[in-house]
């Protein structure tokens, strides 16, 4: 996925599970989707391990780019769950299983710095952003041309 909510060639040419060029370009999805369509989707790794659930999609209003996905992980029935930000670029869409894929080991997510639902970090802070991108091995979205 790239930061404009479409799926580009840098992440496997088509969404995971797509068999033809027409799959990626026909209809309103999966190449272009409403953000609320993805909220609540499962996030897993390539091994199929559950990593969390998509709670929010954070948009950089100045540039119009999708910056981060906010995931919820852990807890019981939503209580005590940890929120954490993942660079949007680190995710891909699995259209067959209707979920997002984060290509990391489960332990990386388990040890990721999270935040309380009532105390979000300043996601516009460049130091915070650099830390998150470094953790997931992605290039910051604001370092790439539009």
């Amino acid at each position: 996925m790239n930061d404009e909510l479409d799926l580009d060639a840098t992440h496997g040419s088509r969404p995971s599970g797509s068999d033809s060029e027409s799959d990626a370009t026909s209809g309103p999805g999966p190449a272009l989707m409403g953000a609320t369509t993805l909220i609540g989707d499962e996030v897993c790794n390539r091994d199929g391990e559950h990593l969390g659930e998509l709670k929010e999609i954070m948009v950089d209003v100045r540039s119009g780019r999708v910056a981060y996905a906010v995931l919820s992980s852990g807890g019981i029935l939503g209580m005590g769950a940890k929120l954490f930000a993942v660079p949007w670029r680190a995710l891909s869409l699995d259209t067959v299983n209707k979920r997002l894929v984060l290509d990391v080991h489960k332990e990386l997510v388990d040890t990721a710095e999270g935040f309380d639902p009532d105390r979000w970090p300043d996601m516009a802070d460049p130091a915070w952003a650099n830390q998150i991108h470094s953790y997931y091995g992605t290039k910051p979205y604001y370092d790439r041309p539009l």
Side-chain angles (χ1 to χ4, degrees):
M1 273 187 179
N2 78 11
D3 34 88
E4 284 82 30
L5 272 180
D6 65 343
L7 302 170
D8 82 352
T10 63
H11 272 69
S13 76
R14 287 187 284 282
S16 300
S18 177
D19 293 330
S20 70
E21 184 70 27
S22 64
D23 287 345
T25 60
S26 63
L32 185 63
M33 301 176 74
T36 58
T37 304
L38 300 170
I39 301 297
D41 280 2
E42 175 188 18
V43 179
C44 67
N45 63 15
R46 296 227 182 265
D47 295 328
E49 295 176 293
H50 179 79
L51 302 177
E53 179 179 306
L54 182 64
K55 289 295 186 187
E56 287 286 348
I57 296 173
M58 306 305 294
V59 176
D60 180 331
V61 178
R62 295 170 299 197
S63 71
R65 292 179 172 193
V66 175
Y68 304 101
V70 176
L71 310 184
S72 174
S73 181
I76 299 172
L77 299 174
M79 300 297 290
K82 168 174 96 168
L83 296 181
F84 57 99
V86 172
W88 187 251
R89 194 90 173 147
L91 296 166
S92 61
L93 181 63
D94 177 349
T95 58
V96 172
N97 297 301
K98 297 183 179 171
R99 63 187 180 188
L100 295 160
V101 177
L102 178 60
D103 192 14
V104 298
H105 293 287
K106 186 169 180 5
E107 296 77 31
L108 189 76
V109 173
D110 291 342
T111 58
E113 184 176 331
F115 56 93
D116 185 283
D118 296 324
R119 298 183 58 180
W120 285 48
D122 178 2
M123 293 183 180
D125 175 16
W128 179 89
N130 287 335
Q131 178 184 358
I132 296 300
H133 284 280
S134 176
Y135 189 79
Y136 289 99
T138 57
K139 184 176 180 181
Y141 70 95
Y142 45 82
D143 281 353
R144 292 188 316 273
L146 288 173

